[in-house]
Amino acid sequence: EIAGGSDLAGMIVAAASAAGTQLQDGDVVVVTSKIVSKAEGRVVELSAVEVSTFARQYAEKWEKEPAIIELVLREARRVVRQVGPVLITETRQGFVCANSGVDQSSSGGHGLAVLLPEDPDASGARIRQGIRGQGAEVAVIVSDTFGRPWREAQTDIAIGIAGMNPVVSYIGQVDPH
């Protein structure tokens, strides 16, 4: 389990070393947002959440946990769509996903929810700097598993990036066909 205040960079370097895979300049390290959120203290005890009337009514109608609905609404910039009990939201970080990325899986205990990192790019930059301080110049991707709205299955996406340019511009280039 990752606790608030954990040194993720130190843990990553130690884990790589223990596995016999020293980090090297140019490596790309992918870190799940769940451990980033936990290390940054983005874990919420549901019993401590003050639930609004709206969240309580919505939760009752769709048989959901009122504190979770409240957290989903707090983390959302807007609700993009609601289909039955499913809320597709745009988070304050700009991600469109189910339930604002609020997650109870692998939360560290019963009655806890994990929120997305507040600034995943900055989180990646801090981890990158910590790894650099231990001798390797790496890029860091903070990833999260997203459901695909209105489709089956899930996929991992990069929600934060540090140390690499994730976009290639094709402006002005000619398509050979």
Side-chain angles (χ1 to χ4, degrees), residues 12-119:
I12 291 165
V13 170
S17 180
T21 309
Q22 299 290 332
L23 293 177
Q24 299 176 19
D25 290 353
D27 283 350
V28 177
V29 177
V30 180
V31 183
T32 179
S33 65
K34 181 81 51 115
I35 67 169
V36 172
S37 292
K38 286 179 166 186
E40 292 179 352
R42 298 275 292 157
V43 179
V44 178
E45 191 169 323
L46 297 178
S47 63
V49 175
E50 189 173 323
V51 179
S52 67
T53 302
F54 177 82
R56 188 172 313 286
Q57 291 170 344
Y58 183 92
E60 286 175 16
K61 178 177 181 176
W62 297 106
E63 299 179 357
K64 296 286 189 176
E65 167 66 44
I68 293 292
I69 299 301
E70 182 64 34
L71 292 172
V72 167
L73 295 173
R74 286 182 191 177
E75 292 295 303
R77 179 181 295 159
R78 67 187 176 105
V79 174
V80 175
R81 184 150 185 213
Q82 184 249 330
V83 180
V86 178
L87 285 171
I88 305 299
T89 60
E90 179 183 357
T91 68
R92 290 180 295 186
Q93 300 91 333
F95 309 121
V96 176
C97 57
N99 299 319
S100 301
V102 175
D103 193 355
Q104 288 182 273
S105 66
S106 301
S107 62
H110 182 70
L112 300 175
V114 181
L115 311 178
L116 290 174
E118 287 187 36
D119 184 344

